Amino acid sequence: MRLFFSAILLCLFISCEVKKEFETNSFSAHFENSNGSETATYHQTIDFYKEIAQEFSEINIKTIGDTDSGNPLHIVTFNKNGDFNFKKIAKTKTILLINNGIHPGESDGIDATMMLFRDLALGKIPTPQNTVIVTIPIYNIGGSLNRNSNTRVNQNGPKSYGFRGNTKNYDLNRDFIKTDTKNAETFSKIFHEVNPDIFIDNHVSNGADYQYTLTHLFTQHNKLGGDLGTYLHQDMMPMLENNLEKINWDITPYVNVYNDVPEKGFSQFIDHPRYSTGYTALWNSLGMMVETHMLKPYNKRVEATYNLMNEMIAIAEKDGKKIKTLRKNALSQHINWKYYPTAWAVDTTKSSIINFKGFQADTIISKVTGFKRLKYNRNMPFTKEVRYQNYFKAVDSIEIPSWYVIKKGYDNVMKRLNLNNIKYAKLKKDTLIHVDAYRILEYETQEKPYEGHYPHYNTKVSHSGREILFEKGDILVPTDQKGIRYILETLEPSAKDSFFNWNFFDTILQQKEGFSPYVFEDEAYKMLLKDDKLKSAFELEKLNDEAFASDWYAQLDWIFKRSPHYEASHLQYPVYRILKN
């Protein structure tokens, strides 16, 4: 407290009374000044952190990168020792990263974290000795600057707030893998510099009505896997629930239902790498989203978020060494892997039972549509045992290669590998390599745009061993490195959030050369005469497929694609695999 010591020196020369500590209202947040009805603007938030960073040596604010809005992203760090070198800090302390305002209309975390940092500095709450807390004050700055009072139609306060889309109208919580925004690029820089052991992303949501103000959405423990996943599921989550219950803040898993009643049971939300906690899990950070219930009063939601973060700091203090050991061990766990899951589904053979605190719901006739509608009665609360399906199983997997070979020229891919510190080498000369080559067999594409893309799904590939002459400058990416999960999730085309599914390789889906039927007819006939196997297969295809048998162009195209004229690059995935011996 630099101001405190200055005051002492001043009192040596003039008569004055020095207070032993700052009053909380000397650093009051806008939320408090508005009696809990308003959230701070972007500029108010940054000014607040600059003010307390100037007064307290335990707090540092740093400009770290760009956003689509043209305003910079900041990180604010609280460390009792006043050391803000993350490589040094990570050797001895647990690091907790808190992300706020990814959806600026969900502003609870913005205000709660401001007060949390102030109270840590003032000693209003226990000062963590072995934990460093880092926050991104407002991640979606463009959305925060686009304030209104109408777009959160179901939300109970604050009076005004930011908009979900960023400056370019991206939902930033779908952008962590595809990285279309400057925000996501800067987040990658922040994340790898801070390297958090624990990650919290503060949100607000509702899919039903119930008694809880707080819900949690931890990264899916089976997907996280190993001892880290076990710790998250069996230790961290129950500990947080119990600690909050002791201070009268009940919490339940995120209620993953839409326009239905929770007492029927619900499943855990699975966080693919497009989402914040899905992305951070790729690097073995223990992640969770806080989802306060938007129908609850704003002041209570902020208070609940504050208390949850404070309890997570207590868990970090208690289990910090254990968490860091688990993360360190996880860095080498892939050595024993042969296969990697690329698709997940709810494991219906396992589930948990939770004592859920809800409200009685009735189905009544809508006065608007005349159809049946759902209506909750808050005067009829209940506590019921509810089935919660929080176990997932892998339903598809790939054999993990030793290396990937990426054909040069895909700068959009290399940019993202660089952002995530993926190690690779370039071939110094043309080299013949035996690889496992993928061809795209099937895929479906969303009909409507989604976050600036028309993503593919249900992607299936065929693969074959081939000798390919790669050129000088082609890229070799080893999988034996810290970012193995990121590599597999992005380069395996069948993975949910692969670069293929996000349209990075769509040029291979378009055939560039074709044929004129009246010219190719004669050559097709010669091919069938010369190749009995080809002719038999052709006749069998007509026999088994009525539509094919009645389509003369499809028949010529079928033969063309088995001729030497058909381009090898069509549907040929330009990322190859070198399998382990």
Side-chain angles (χ1 to χ4, degrees), residues 119-249:
D119 291 352
L120 286 168
L122 289 171
K124 297 290 184 181
I125 53 179
T127 302
Q129 305 298 308
N130 301 301
T131 304
V132 173
I133 302 98
V134 186
T135 188
I136 301 173
I138 299 178
Y139 178 48
N140 183 356
I141 298 171
S144 178
L145 294 171
N146 184 12
R147 286 172 78 92
N148 72 96
S149 300
N150 304 307
T151 53
R152 304 285 293 181
V153 62
N154 299 317
Q155 189 163 292
N156 185 6
K159 290 182 178 178
S160 65
Y161 38 75
F163 182 65
R164 186 180 185 92
N166 86 330
T167 301
K168 295 166 65 177
N169 210 33
Y170 281 101
D171 184 334
L172 294 180
N173 202 32
R174 309 293 187 271
D175 196 39
F176 286 91
I177 280 290
K178 61 186 178 68
T179 321
D180 287 330
T181 62
K182 290 181 181 178
N183 301 65
E185 291 181 20
T186 301
F187 185 91
S188 296
K189 180 179 179 180
I190 292 171
F191 181 76
H192 292 295
E193 179 174 330
V194 173
N195 187 21
D197 301 293
I198 304 169
F199 174 75
I200 295 176
D201 200 355
N202 285 316
H203 289 250
V204 184
S205 177
N206 84 293
D209 203 359
Y210 39 79
Q211 298 176 45
Y212 304 94
T213 301
L214 281 170
T215 73
H216 61 69
L217 200 165
F218 281 91
T219 195
Q220 210 289 315
H221 62 95
N222 300 112
K223 183 169 68 68
L224 180 60
D227 293 336
L228 265 178
T230 300
Y231 170 79
L232 183 77
H233 181 60
Q234 297 184 0
D235 296 288
M236 176 178 274
M237 184 176 68
M239 200 184 316
L240 179 66
E241 292 173 336
N242 293 335
N243 290 354
L244 285 167
E245 184 180 12
K246 289 176 183 177
I247 58 172
N248 299 316
W249 283 107

Side-chain angles (χ1 to χ4, degrees), residues 351-451:
S351 61
S352 300
I353 300 297
I354 57 176
N355 289 316
F356 187 80
K357 297 181 178 181
F359 295 118
Q360 185 67 42
D362 296 315
T363 301
I364 62 175
I365 299 301
S366 168
K367 295 178 181 179
V368 177
T369 67
F371 292 94
K372 293 180 180 179
R373 58 153 292 190
L374 189 64
K375 178 74 172 178
Y376 288 93
N377 186 344
R378 290 193 169 185
N379 294 318
M380 297 183 67
F382 66 76
T383 301
K384 294 181 180 179
E385 289 189 346
V386 170
R387 186 185 181 206
Y388 176 50
Q389 294 182 299
N390 57 337
Y391 293 88
F392 280 70
K393 62 182 179 181
V395 292
D396 200 2
S397 63
I398 53 94
E399 183 179 353
I400 301 172
S402 296
W403 300 77
Y404 287 95
V405 188
I406 306 173
K407 298 291 286 185
K408 62 184 176 183
Y410 288 95
D411 295 339
N412 54 350
V413 172
M414 299 314 302
K415 176 183 178 180
R416 287 154 179 79
L417 297 186
N418 289 331
L419 283 169
N420 286 280
N421 300 333
I422 300 302
K423 299 176 183 177
Y424 59 86
K426 294 183 178 180
L427 286 176
K428 295 181 179 180
K429 61 180 181 179
D430 294 356
T431 308
L432 187 68
I433 305 175
H434 183 81
V435 294
D436 183 35
Y438 280 155
R439 285 187 67 81
I440 306 301
L441 272 185
E442 300 176 22
Y443 64 95
E444 297 179 70
T445 303
Q446 289 191 195
E447 294 182 0
K448 294 183 178 180
Y450 178 78
E451 295 304 316

Side-chain angles (χ1 to χ4, degrees), residues 206-208 210 212 215-216 252-258 261-262 266-267 356:
N206 84 293
Y210 39 79
Y212 304 94
T215 73
H216 61 69
T252 193
Y254 173 71
V255 182
N256 191 21
V257 301
Y258 179 75
V261 290
F266 54 94
S267 65
F356 187 80

Side-chain angles (χ1 to χ4, degrees), residues 3 88 116 151 266 273 299 354 369 399 448 458 575 577:
L3 184 61
K88 182 179 177 182
L116 180 76
T151 53
F266 54 94
N299 62 331
I354 57 176
T369 67
E399 183 179 353
K448 294 183 178 180
N458 289 340
V575 180
R577 297 152 35 92

